[in-house]
Every structure is written in C-alpha cells, then in structure tokens.
Amino acid sequence: MAVKRLSLPQEPPVVEWFVDELIPAGYVSVLFARQGEGKTRLVAFLAVQALRPQGSFAKRPVRRGRVLVLDADDPGGLGYALWLHRFLRAYEDADKGLLDLRAVEGGLTPEDVRALEEELRQDPPVLIVVDAFSSAFLGVDVIKPQQVHAPIRALTSLAQATGAALLLVDHVGKLAPGQTVAEKGPLGSTAKLFSPRAAFALDRLPPKEVEGRDVVKLTCVKQSYAPLPPPIGLELVWLSDGGGAYFKPYPLPEAATLEEKAEKVILELLAEAGEEGLPRKELLGEVVRRGNVSERTAMRALSGLRGRGLVEETELPGRGAPKVLRLPRSNLSMPLAQNRENPVQDAKRFCAKGLAQNGGLGTKSPDPLEAEEQAPNGAGGPVGGKENAVQRAEPAPATPSRESEELLTLEGGLGGRRLPPSSTGEVNDLEVEL
C-alpha cells in the first residue's frame, strides 16, 4: 500500500536549515535565472561559505560541511573552478578539502541517482548542487509534468536520504513584455516547483539603477517552512589585487510598479505628441515597446490616468472624426510634462499650486499647502507675515460651470487660471493672479 499513517508529534517539529530560514536542509530548492545573470558565481560563493567555520550568506548563518557540485552544463567545470578560486582567495579560513567538484557527462539516470545516494550515505554533504536540470536529465521534456516529476522526486529522495540541502539550478524561457523572472518561473512545466520546498529567482540589476555596481537580486518565490523573505540584494566586490572577490549585501532601490512605469511613459509620449495627440492603439503599442510592460498593464495605466483627468480623449476635425488621446490643453505647455516628471505622484499638490510654482512664468507664489505643513499647531495666516497671492473666492453655484470642470482653463492669455472644485468641498474655486 502506497499510503502510510503519520503520527502528529507532541511538539512542533524543528526545521533544519542549510542557510537560516532561507534554504532548508534535507529538501530540494530551485534557483533559476536567465543565461548570463550570474547563477554559477552565486552558487560558488554559497559553496565557499559552507567551507568556512562560520560562513554567512545575506547576513544569515550557513551550515559548515562537505559540498558536492555536479556540473552538467560545463563538462570541464571551468566556470565553477574559476569562481570557486576567486571566492577562496577572499576567505582564507575556507577548507578546500571539503569541496567535491564533479562533471556530469551524458546526463543522470535514475540508477545514477540511486548509486549516488548509496555513496553519500556514508559521508553526507551539507550541500549538493545540480547544475542544470536540462543538462543533467537529458531526454526529459520539460513541458510535460509527468516527465519532470520523476527526476524531481529522485532528487528529493537523495536530499532526504543524506539530509543535504539540494540546490537545483535551472534556466528560464523567453520573457513576455513586462514579465519578470520571478513571474516566469523555471523553464518548462510548473511541476518543477511542486516538490521543492524553496525557490529563488535571480536577476542582475541594470548598472544605471545601482550606481554602476555589479548587483544581483535574489527573489524568494516559494518558502514552505519560514516566512517569505523580501528580495535580497548582493553586490560583487573585487579585492584590490583583482584576483579575488566576494558578495556583500546591497540595499535594493525602491522600484516603481509596472503600472506606475506605464503611466510615466504615457505622460511622456503624450507630452511629446502635443496638440495632435496619439490614437489609442498607437499609444498603447508604444507604451508596451518603450516601457517593456504588457498591453494589459498599459491599458490599466491609461484607464487610471483618464479617471484622474490627466489624459483626455478628443475628436479631431476631418473625415470620420478620428479620436486621439492627449494631455488636457493646459498641461500641454507645462514644463512638468516636458521635463518628464510625473504629476500623478501628487496630483492634489500639483493642482493647488500656481503656475509660477510649477515652472511657469511670473513671480513665485507661496504654496498654501507647504505653509500649513510648516506652521505651528493652531497657527494660521500668511507665511512670514506676507500676503498670500492665492486667495479664496466666493463659493460657486451648486452646478459647476464647464470651466470649473477642466483641470486648468486658460482665460484670456495670462489673465488667470482656474482650478477644479476641491475634493473636500471647502474651496470651490482658486484663482492665481499672475
């Protein structure tokens, strides 16, 4: 019978870790990335930490012991040999005698895995690396779950029999526009993530986002026995002699969401188009291309901007009355859009400022919102005793005029600009004197 009864322990079981609350011992974990993103060097660094009396990975303790690396991608093992030596130069306390580097030629069979299990039972390692799945298990169609499941189960049995953390390295297929490596997952069937207890996506960050440094981001997409940790940034640092290197933690920059990224691109494109605007199909296509986002994300971003009145649809004169999308008329000439800044980040403050404070012509007027923030509790009135150029007008009629519904309406050249009614209903109209 394939089903057996399990007894519930009196106390919660203790999880054994290879890397504390990151990579469990006795189970399979998966590391996947696109080609050339730094899988080999990161795994080599992790292996060297296991050779040290008190190794550390991303400020987490690493269990010390033997390390077995099965390199199926490079039969000569050149990549691992290079990076292992570079990291060993940085850590003189690492014991090279605990390292076992092997090449896999012709792939692994179920018999090979069982033989390896019997061998390693005598002197089990703390870490087993299999690099990479497709090269180690030739003939397996990674698209078919039933074919993927068998080698994953064999590796799981190997990890449980030895108590080692088994790190399976894998590749990633072609990404869709706007898709991340973490969202894509390892190459082929999602069955690769069924049995593993932890899974990690690896990306190399563009140098322009990290001050020209060599930084990778490790994103945990599955963690069965501990809380899911936030993404980890690691910077590769070379020693002064140029021959040794090590990874150190690096604070990741705050990244905008894909929808925010799409919004910024939309505003840039419409600012460039000016009065002529852009047809919806053309705009969305260019957002997908320039922003590297999906069409669905671009559509959501456009809908959000239109809902906030920052993008409008207009019919152009001519046959068929073609429709285009563009910025509201008053926004077309504002340096804010021309300078490729995003007014969406603080729409309320943007609308409440005078033209001079948003980079337009005229004398700069004090910001009433900033005055309120800087004034002591209970204080009011003009800033620094000077008269505020932004004055409250008389309440508007219950039915607002068409002019008050527009974001900013230019009346008679530089005669004045009007703002929409306040969302709180306290101020129905603000007029800026230039």
Side-chain angles (χ1 to χ4, degrees):
M1 187 174 180
V3 179
K4 65 178 182 179
R5 186 181 300 276
L6 298 175
S7 60
L8 180 66
Q10 296 296 323
E11 299 294 334
V14 177
V15 179
E16 299 292 336
W17 296 97
F18 169 64
V19 178
D20 190 41
E21 295 194 345
L22 199 65
I23 301 178
Y27 295 92
V28 175
S29 297
V30 179
L31 172 68
F32 55 93
R34 292 177 295 177
Q35 185 175 0
E37 293 292 281
K39 298 186 294 294
T40 300
R41 62 181 188 175
L42 187 68
V43 173
F45 175 77
L46 179 61
V48 169
Q49 296 308 304
L51 308 180
R52 303 177 60 213
Q54 294 181 330
S56 175
F57 182 83
K59 296 183 179 181
R60 301 167 185 262
V62 177
R63 177 179 290 187
R64 183 177 186 270
R66 287 184 60 227
V67 174
L68 171 62
V69 178
L70 301 175
D71 190 352
D73 266 354
D74 184 358
L78 179 61
Y80 275 104
L82 283 173
W83 283 106
L84 286 168
H85 273 288
R86 287 166 178 167
F87 294 130
L88 286 169
R89 292 190 64 172
Y91 298 98
E92 296 180 354
D93 59 349
D95 184 356
K96 292 187 291 184
L98 297 175
L99 181 63
D100 187 357
L101 179 60
R102 306 184 189 182
V104 177
E105 298 180 348
L108 291 173
T109 65
E111 292 74 19
D112 294 331
V113 177
R114 283 194 293 268
L116 196 60
E117 181 177 324
E118 289 300 320
E119 174 197 342
L120 297 178
R121 283 179 185 272
Q122 309 302 320
D123 186 13
V126 296
L127 174 65
I128 302 173
V129 177
V130 178
D131 188 355
F133 181 92
S134 299
S135 303
F137 299 99
L138 300 175
V140 173
D141 189 343
V142 297
I143 302 299
K144 297 180 179 179
Q146 64 273 20
Q147 293 194 27
V148 168
H149 190 68
I152 293 291
R153 289 299 301 169
L155 295 178
T156 301
S157 176
L158 175 61
Q160 292 178 344
T162 59
L166 196 150
L167 185 59
L168 177 61
V169 182
D170 205 357
H171 300 290
V172 174
K174 183 178 180 181
L175 303 181
Q179 189 178 37
T180 65
V181 172
E183 294 169 340
K184 179 67 175 179
L187 181 65
S189 172
T190 56
K192 287 183 177 180
L193 298 182
F194 290 171
S195 295
R197 299 294 87 191
F200 305 90
L202 182 68
D203 294 274
R204 179 177 290 175
L205 298 183
K208 64 181 180 180
E209 296 182 5
V210 288
E211 301 176 338
R213 302 173 186 268
D214 191 349
V215 178
V216 294
K217 179 177 70 172
L218 188 67
T219 304
C220 184
V221 298
K222 180 178 180 179
Q223 181 56 261
S224 298
Y225 302 136
L228 200 68
I232 298 170
L234 295 168
E235 178 190 358
L236 182 69
V237 181
W238 292 89
L239 300 181
S240 57
D241 61 6
Y246 63 95
F247 275 107
K248 72 173 185 179
Y250 184 88
L252 294 173
E254 294 184 7
T257 65
L258 292 175
E259 195 165 326
E260 291 172 340
K261 185 178 179 182
E263 286 185 353
K264 181 179 179 181
V265 175
I266 290 172
L267 294 174
E268 291 176 355
L269 290 170
L270 294 182
E272 294 170 3
E275 287 277 355
E276 296 181 0
L278 291 172
R280 176 186 174 87
K281 183 176 181 180
E282 180 181 342
L283 174 63
L284 292 176
E286 187 62 19
V287 172
V288 170
R289 186 193 67 80
R290 184 184 293 190
N292 190 30
V293 296
S294 66
E295 185 175 3
R296 179 177 297 181
T297 299
M299 292 172 64
R300 287 200 306 265
L302 178 59
S303 176
L305 290 174
R306 291 188 64 185
R308 299 197 296 274
L310 295 168
V311 173
E312 64 181 15
E313 186 176 63
T314 305
E315 288 187 1
L316 296 180
R319 185 175 181 179
K323 294 182 178 181
V324 297
L325 295 164
R326 65 183 184 185
L327 300 179
R329 284 182 177 274
S330 56
N331 286 3
L332 291 173
S333 60
M334 287 195 175
L336 185 63
Q338 295 172 358
N339 290 336
R340 298 192 175 187
E341 298 176 4
N342 191 355
V344 184
Q345 296 174 354
D346 197 348
K348 180 178 178 181
R349 180 179 295 277
F350 176 79
C351 294
K353 287 185 178 181
L355 176 62
Q357 291 174 283
N358 285 318
L361 301 175
T363 305
K364 182 175 181 180
S365 303
D367 186 349
L369 296 181
E370 292 180 356
E372 292 176 6
E373 294 172 359
Q374 297 173 2
N377 294 335
V383 181
K386 296 183 181 180
E387 184 176 355
N388 198 327
V390 182
Q391 303 176 354
R392 295 180 182 268
E394 293 297 326
T399 303
S401 64
R402 179 178 180 181
E403 289 79 8
S404 65
E405 294 176 353
E406 297 177 354
L407 184 62
L408 286 172
T409 303
L410 185 62
E411 298 181 351
L414 298 178
R417 292 182 184 269
R418 292 183 178 272
L419 295 173
S422 167
S423 59
T424 62
E426 297 177 0
V427 182
N428 294 321
D429 215 354
L430 290 176
E431 182 169 313
V432 180
E433 301 291 347
L434 297 182

